[in-house]
Amino acid sequence: MVEIIVDGEKFSVNEKGNLITELKKHNIEIPHFCYHEALGVSGNCRMCLIEVVGQKRPQIACDTPIKDGMEIKINSELTRAVQRGILELEFINHPLDCPVCDQAGECDLQDYYMKFDLQDSKVSLADKVKKGKREDLGSLVIHDEERCVLCRRCVRFTQICTQTNELAVGGRGEHSHIMLMNGKKIDNPYAGNIVDICPVGAMTSADFRFKKRVWHLQKTPAICQGCERGCAIWIDSNKAKYQDSKIYRFRPRESSVNGYFICDYGRYSYKDEQVIKRDDSAKISALALDLRTNGDQYDILASSSLSLEEMSALKILANEFNMGLYGFSDFRDESFKDEIGLKLRVPNKTANRVGLNKLGIGRNLDKKSKNLIVFHLGRDFEFINKFEFDNLIKIGSNSDADIVCASSYHRDGHTLNIDEKLRFSKGAFEPLSPKICDIIAEFIGRRVEFDMSILKAFA
């Protein structure tokens, strides 16, 4: 660590780090478009030019080596004048369509204008150069060339992160533009991240366009349940007046597990997680009554989609009525695994296979009875077809269930990912259907308290 001086104040930073990232840790913002922690330095946007004491001209912060005792001025008149000049350049042909742009509210260009610019445009809307609009680049990515600032993050993402090279920059100088390499559309399992990393709304999601303004969305930190990687995500939801809460999108949340990205399978899995409105309270009461007299004639099958809390509650339920408890975790899809690129996707498509093993829930189903109660959170109960049974009761979060319960994103819960890292997922909002732990509480007639010491063993 070394000390540098920023606007007269000393800060301790990593000498080997990037100046923009290091100052961000101290809540100091240097505006930038092309630099991204996952993509490295490009140095083409010039938005991060700052005054460095001792240098004849402003320097790009993204590629300025950190030296002990260096002094920079990010709020000086020179730095501000350079930033206003760069923004004026970016706005010359920008359509200024913030009222209809899906990036509005999350747009760096919009934010920088409000913070550092506020100049009137010297070019009328009628005189601006018109460029391509609504170009379908494939994989639900829509390109608006008029909004593009040519930061090249999207190009570098396909080069560095997915190594699929679908995007390139064509033309020279003022004719430069983002284009599809050899005319082939984007075809990789992480394409949605191109929309996330675009700083100005040139890349928008065909799935999310015009559905909801971002400032109306409630952000909830959660963990993706699509596979046992356990990527950190944001759940963006909204509850409109006189309507039920609704999830509009999943976005990546920075973490040591997934870095800055998630796969498209996890990203669009939100579509399977909407609230199902169905009153199964009579079925729950009837099953509770039956279990109190005939409980030992049933067995329980818990899938690896459940949380540690839910699995632990099932162990208590099994002991209460002398039921057999079995686990099922074979949700493998070998084609799901990545061979190149980010390699975030894991073949097992449930979040808690490791947790099932750690809690000692056996998977030998040879001795199970013919009466089976299955607990599963996920898309379907297709895996049940592997077993023989006389009487099957399905409790899950999809419409095929006999008793519908809250999904993984509508309740709090812990899981263990493939690397045995403890992951906590928070419910986006209160569900209309009961949570699995609530159903178990009705079965045994009392609330089940989760033993927190279980988490300490995995933390």
Side-chain angles (χ1 to χ4, degrees), residues 318-341:
N319 289 332
E320 187 81 11
F321 297 122
N322 195 26
M323 307 162 78
L325 174 60
Y326 304 94
F328 183 83
S329 62
D330 186 16
F331 294 92
R332 292 186 71 83
D333 177 1
E334 294 299 335
S335 66
F336 186 66
K337 184 179 179 181
D338 300 317
E339 297 298 330
I340 60 171

Side-chain angles (χ1 to χ4, degrees), residues 241-253:
K241 196 172 184 180
Y242 305 124
Q243 295 181 16
D244 295 324
S245 297
K246 181 180 179 180
I247 297 175
Y248 282 86
R249 62 179 182 177
F250 288 166
R251 291 181 296 122
R253 181 166 57 91

Side-chain angles (χ1 to χ4, degrees), residues 361-374:
I361 300 177
R363 288 179 288 175
N364 185 351
L365 302 173
D366 294 340
K367 296 182 179 180
K368 70 175 181 57
S369 74
K370 295 293 184 181
N371 301 315
L372 198 62
I373 303 175
V374 180

Side-chain angles (χ1 to χ4, degrees), residues 34-306:
C34 66
Y35 174 72
H36 188 285
E37 280 84 352
L39 305 175
V41 175
S42 177
N44 64 65
C45 76
R46 293 331 216 203
M47 191 65 222
C48 66
L49 281 166
I50 55 171
E51 181 179 357
V52 179
V53 175
Q55 298 291 328
K56 292 182 178 178
R57 57 185 66 87
Q59 304 293 309
I60 52 173
C62 65
D63 202 28
T64 297
I66 295 175
K67 295 180 180 177
D68 189 19
M70 71 184 291
E71 182 176 0
I72 63 174
K73 297 181 179 180
I74 61 174
N75 288 307
S76 67
E77 185 52 41
L78 174 60
T79 300
R80 293 290 180 239
V82 170
Q83 290 168 346
R84 286 193 294 271
I86 296 296
L87 287 170
E88 183 177 357
L89 178 67
E90 301 295 358
F91 278 116
I92 286 177
N93 291 310
H94 192 277
L96 302 177
D97 58 350
C98 303
V100 297
C101 177
D102 276 302
Q103 192 84 1
E106 297 176 330
C107 175
D108 289 345
L109 188 59
Q110 189 180 44
D111 291 344
Y112 294 159
Y113 172 78
M114 298 304 296
K115 289 180 181 177
F116 308 118
D117 197 1
L118 293 176
Q119 301 175 87
D120 293 332
S121 176
K122 297 175 182 175
V123 181
S124 69
L125 282 173
D127 293 332
K128 289 179 185 288
V129 176
K130 304 299 181 186
K131 298 181 180 177
K133 308 284 284 185
R134 296 181 295 278
E135 181 186 5
D136 180 6
L137 298 185
S139 296
L140 300 178
V141 177
I142 304 296
H143 181 46
D144 187 318
E145 194 178 338
E146 287 185 349
R147 298 174 186 161
C148 183
V149 296
L150 283 172
C151 69
R152 296 168 171 80
R153 282 188 184 183
C154 52
V155 176
R156 288 182 286 144
F157 177 79
T158 62
Q159 293 172 341
I160 299 170
C161 298
T162 62
Q163 300 175 27
T164 48
N165 299 292
E166 295 104 328
L167 296 176
V169 178
R172 289 187 174 185
E174 62 181 318
H175 300 294
S176 297
H177 62 280
I178 302 299
M179 56 174 282
L180 290 168
M181 184 72 80
N182 299 323
K184 295 181 179 178
K185 292 192 174 182
I186 298 172
D187 183 20
N188 71 69
Y190 295 91
N193 296 288
I194 293 173
V195 175
D196 296 331
I197 62 175
C198 178
V200 297
M203 299 290 184
T204 54
S205 167
D207 180 70
F208 180 71
R209 280 165 64 95
F210 311 125
K211 288 184 177 176
K212 185 63 69 175
R213 303 318 309 242
V214 297
W215 50 84
H216 290 151
L217 295 174
Q218 175 184 335
K219 290 192 336 179
T220 307
I223 299 298
C224 179
Q225 307 291 310
C227 77
E228 58 181 330
R229 176 68 66 194
C231 295
I233 61 172
W234 290 108
I235 299 176
D236 288 343
S237 63
N238 175 260
K239 186 181 187 319
K241 196 172 184 180
Y242 305 124
Q243 295 181 16
D244 295 324
S245 297
K246 181 180 179 180
I247 297 175
Y248 282 86
R249 62 179 182 177
F250 288 166
R251 291 181 296 122
R253 181 166 57 91
E254 182 185 347
S255 81
S256 59
V257 170
N258 54 288
Y260 300 86
F261 308 116
I262 58 173
C263 72
D264 285 357
Y265 176 83
R267 179 185 298 275
Y268 300 120
S269 64
Y270 81 90
K271 297 177 181 178
D272 300 316
E273 300 295 338
Q274 303 303 337
V275 173
I276 299 174
K277 296 180 71 172
R278 204 172 77 188
D279 184 6
D280 291 328
S281 56
K283 293 180 181 178
I284 296 173
S285 299
L287 182 57
L289 190 63
D290 190 30
L291 288 177
R292 286 165 195 167
T293 54
N294 303 308
D296 57 354
Q297 297 179 27
Y298 286 90
D299 280 342
I300 299 170
L301 183 64
S303 85
S304 49
S305 62
L306 306 185

